[in-house]
Amino acid sequence: MSGLPSPIGSALVTDLPGPVHHDDDSAPHRQRRIGQRPAVRRSLIGLAAFVGAGFLLLPVVVIFVEALRLGLGPYFEAISESATRHAIWLTVLTAIVVVPVNIGFGICAAWAITRFTFKGKKLLITLIEIPFSISPIVAGVAYLFLYGSQGLLGPLLAAYEVQVMFTVPAIFLVSLFVTSPFVARELIATMQVQGNDYEEAALSLGASGWKTFLLVTLPGMKWGLLYGALLCNARVMGEFGAVSVVSGSIRGQTNTLPLQIELLFNDFSSVGAFAAATILTLLALLSLAGKIWLERQR
């Protein structure tokens, strides 16, 4: 009896799991991912093209068609109107002032957050991201209650005969607030990926702090810096809500291009409004082209 195999033991051994080998011909087919089937893929591409054409491309085409509806003469006459030219100049001036300041702030903030450990780092990151979560109109109202004649600092400013609200500097201030996170957030992500190994190597070889920054850190962050500056520039030129609150919309004085478009539209000057809108659209398209170029270079 001891030499005979036990039927129960044989059954247990037979039931034990073991490696299962399949021939290539009998291997089960893998499940396809969502959208991998040709019909689904074509449907998704067609839907994306339809939505893009209907909601993105068509409005841009309408802007240029309406602006040129009466011909090139009225179009250039509308653009050369003094208030519109001043609005274009003020919009460009705001970008020239705001973008470099935000670049400097973004570099300092990203440097502090990615290269140092200190208490309050998360609080600093939260403060940088506050403009993302606040409506621009709310930001404009906050500045109005802070620097306005009836605001918190209004009596102090009036004592020194300083007016901030409804002036060009007010436009600079709210534009700085609204666009302050763009460069900083891009640089924080870039510098976190970059790390500090090369900087430590440069310092160990005797390079000074400024030389390390100019020759090692800055070249490593250049794409993030350019990308953030480009986004900041596009946001500055298109800002409407906060600027409309603090500027007073004074024609020919504190009107940026978005505000001028609204004024022309309210005056039933459709050609003038669409002509000004084409300038803003061209600036946006240039920013988009620059963004695509940077992404390819990156």
Side-chain angles (χ1 to χ4, degrees):
M1 294 292 293
S2 60
L4 296 176
S6 171
I8 298 177
S10 300
L12 291 175
V13 172
T14 305
D15 292 339
L16 287 175
V20 180
H21 300 282
H22 298 279
D23 295 335
D24 293 339
D25 296 336
S26 60
H29 294 287
R30 294 181 179 179
Q31 294 294 330
R32 291 186 176 183
R33 292 174 295 180
I34 297 176
Q36 196 173 7
R37 296 179 182 277
V40 177
R41 185 168 62 250
R42 286 193 294 267
S43 300
L44 291 175
I45 294 174
L47 179 62
F50 174 78
V51 172
F55 294 94
L56 300 178
L57 182 61
L58 188 59
V60 175
V61 173
V62 169
I63 290 174
F64 285 92
V65 169
E66 290 295 325
L68 298 170
R69 179 166 51 88
L70 300 180
L72 291 175
Y75 173 78
F76 287 110
E77 182 180 351
I79 291 179
S80 60
E81 197 265 330
S82 61
T84 300
R85 285 190 287 109
H86 183 273
I88 296 172
W89 173 84
L90 184 56
T91 302
V92 175
L93 177 64
T94 303
I96 292 174
V97 173
V98 170
V99 174
V101 175
N102 275 333
I103 288 176
F105 168 74
I107 292 175
C108 295
W111 185 279
I113 290 172
T114 59
R115 296 297 185 263
F116 301 101
T117 301
F118 56 92
K119 292 182 179 180
K121 179 186 289 190
K122 292 184 179 180
L123 177 61
L124 178 58
I125 296 175
T126 303
L127 290 176
I128 292 173
E129 293 178 344
I130 281 179
F132 278 149
S133 58
I134 294 180
S135 170
I137 295 180
V138 174
V141 172
Y143 272 81
L144 187 62
F145 278 97
L146 182 61
Y147 296 105
S149 59
Q150 304 298 323
L152 182 63
L153 301 178
L156 178 63
L157 295 173
Y160 291 94
E161 298 182 353
V162 176
Q163 182 180 355
V164 177
M165 291 296 99
F166 312 127
T167 63
V168 173
I171 298 174
F172 297 161
L173 286 175
V174 294
S175 299
L176 280 170
F177 177 83
V178 171
T179 60
S180 59
F182 285 94
V183 179
R185 289 304 302 169
E186 287 296 325
L187 288 183
I188 288 171
T190 301
M191 294 180 69
Q192 284 176 340
V193 174
Q194 177 184 354
N196 58 356
D197 294 339
Y198 292 108
E199 296 170 2
E200 293 179 355
L203 292 173
S204 66
L205 293 174
S208 63
W210 278 110
K211 193 171 184 179
T212 300
F213 173 76
L214 293 175
L215 299 181
V216 178
T217 307
L218 194 58
M221 69 166 72
K222 64 178 180 179
W223 296 119
L225 181 62
L226 291 173
Y227 190 72
L230 188 64
L231 293 178
C232 178
N233 179 74
R235 187 71 172 85
V236 167
M237 290 188 173
E239 177 54 36
F240 177 85
V243 174
S244 66
V245 175
V246 303
S247 68
S249 298
I250 304 173
R251 192 187 300 266
Q253 296 184 29
T254 60
N255 253 9
T256 58
L257 200 49
L259 300 182
Q260 178 67 10
I261 293 171
E262 185 197 32
L263 280 180
L264 290 171
F265 186 79
N266 291 335
D267 291 343
F268 302 101
S269 178
S270 60
V271 174
F274 281 108
T278 58
I279 302 300
L280 198 60
T281 303
L282 289 174
L283 294 174
L285 292 177
L286 286 176
S287 299
L288 179 61
K291 173 179 175 291
I292 294 174
W293 179 81
L294 285 176
E295 287 177 346
R296 289 182 177 179
Q297 295 297 320
R298 201 170 180 179

